[in-house]
Amino acid sequence: MLKIAICDDRKEDRDRLNQYVQQFCLENMLQAEIKVFDHPDTLICACEKLRPHIYILDIVMPMINGIQAARELRWNHPDAQIIFVTSEESFALESFDVNPVNYLLKPVRKEKLFATLKLALNRISLEEEKTITIKVKGGYCTLYLNDILYVDYRNHVVSYHLLSGEVSSTSTLRIGFAEYLNQYHSDEDFVLCHESVAVAIWAIDKLTRTELTVRNREILPVAKSRYAQVSEKYMNYRFR
């Protein structure tokens, strides 16, 4: 499902953007979850879990402007598409720092927003969102990789720790953890930070030589022998 977040401190502008986006999705037969926010702090907090594909951000907002918010959102979600809407032309050059899809001046014209949304959609691929199907007790379970924070291995069982707080565990395995990861996960998505823990690279928020913090603020150990590889993959992901 397409996820879109709108943030504007002016109710009139929020309502207009929401109406336009809903109409765009209806006309293009898109199933979408649209969330509307009136303050960038609320947006940033909520989107740690929501992880929208597209952000539509006002620039001139209280406390933190839309470009500052976009920098933080871009750090947490490098692949997101950002559209700026503003009444100020002076921010145009600064906005390119976060590689937006477009910079639209208010009052936003519906036709211009629709064209920009189409451009944003061309840069994402909902159909190719990665999933994994695991064998669990009594059947099978399909998980989206973007929902997985890390996996660990105990007593011949692999457990998937999800952004929602849920944990999904495999049935008892006949192979070791390293072999399981090689079979079911690309090293582009996960990296071993400990002999029995592999973390999703997108989910790392903070990294030191002895531990890392994932998106839900949980702290995981980093083995001395694993730090260099974890650090390299983390930096490549953040600054690609």
Side-chain angles (χ1 to χ4, degrees):
M1 178 184 292
L2 178 66
K3 297 179 182 180
I4 301 175
I6 299 169
C7 187
D8 198 306
D9 62 318
R10 292 189 58 197
K11 185 179 186 305
E12 179 182 351
D13 291 337
R14 287 197 308 274
D15 291 346
R16 181 182 296 110
L17 288 169
N18 188 24
Q19 179 184 354
Y20 285 168
V21 171
Q22 298 228 18
Q23 183 179 344
F24 173 83
C25 292
L26 183 63
E27 290 182 6
N28 290 275
M29 295 181 290
L30 293 170
Q31 186 179 9
E33 180 181 3
I34 304 166
K35 296 290 186 180
V36 181
F37 302 89
D38 62 2
H39 195 283
D41 285 344
T42 309
L43 167 80
I44 291 168
C45 182
C47 288
E48 286 188 359
K49 290 188 176 180
L50 181 63
R51 291 179 61 79
H53 301 93
I54 300 173
Y55 293 91
I56 303 175
L57 306 177
D58 184 20
I59 290 183
V60 182
M61 291 187 286
M63 302 300 291
I64 175 174
N65 69 38
I67 296 176
Q68 292 170 322
R71 289 192 183 107
E72 186 159 349
L73 293 167
R74 176 69 75 207
W75 174 261
N76 288 328
H77 193 178
D79 296 327
Q81 302 302 310
I82 295 172
I83 300 169
F84 286 122
V85 294
T86 183
S87 56
E88 297 288 339
E89 296 185 25
S90 58
F91 290 99
L93 185 59
E94 184 182 356
S95 74
F96 282 96
D97 181 45
V98 292
N99 189 29
V101 181
N102 208 346
Y103 183 101
L104 305 178
L105 291 175
K106 296 181 178 180
V108 175
R109 291 173 45 224
K110 181 173 69 174
E111 296 77 11
K112 189 70 172 177
L113 178 61
F114 280 23
T116 300
L117 286 169
K118 287 182 179 178
L119 182 59
L121 284 175
N122 287 336
R123 296 184 179 184
I124 63 179
S125 181
L126 300 177
E127 293 79 8
E128 295 180 3
E129 285 190 294
K130 296 178 181 178
T131 62
I132 178 174
T133 299
I134 62 174
K135 188 175 181 179
V136 298
K137 291 182 179 179
Y140 295 87
C141 178
T142 298
L143 305 172
Y144 283 96
L145 290 188
N146 282 342
D147 290 336
I148 302 170
L149 296 174
Y150 68 95
V151 296
D152 62 19
Y153 180 74
R154 295 179 184 179
N155 300 321
H156 304 286
V157 170
V158 172
S159 295
Y160 289 80
H161 298 256
L162 309 180
L163 192 57
S164 64
E166 298 177 4
V167 178
S168 294
S169 299
T170 66
S171 53
T172 302
L173 302 177
R174 296 181 179 179
I175 57 176
F177 190 41
E179 187 178 350
Y180 178 88
L181 291 175
N182 287 335
Q183 285 188 19
Y184 294 100
H185 292 294
S186 164
D187 61 4
E188 294 179 0
D189 299 317
F190 291 86
V191 60
L192 274 169
C193 59
H194 190 270
E195 63 179 8
S196 60
V197 182
V199 63
I201 299 168
W202 75 266
I204 302 173
D205 268 349
K206 182 180 179 181
L207 174 66
T208 72
R209 289 188 173 274
T210 58
E211 63 186 27
L212 59 84
T213 305
V214 292
R215 192 61 52 85
N216 67 349
R217 304 296 184 260
E218 194 169 349
I219 296 175
L220 304 177
V222 176
K224 184 177 181 180
S225 60
R226 300 288 181 184
Y227 173 76
Q229 185 180 25
V230 175
S231 177
E232 180 183 6
K233 289 183 178 296
Y234 174 62
M235 298 302 286
N236 286 344
Y237 176 81
R238 290 301 185 190
F239 298 104
R240 61 187 177 185

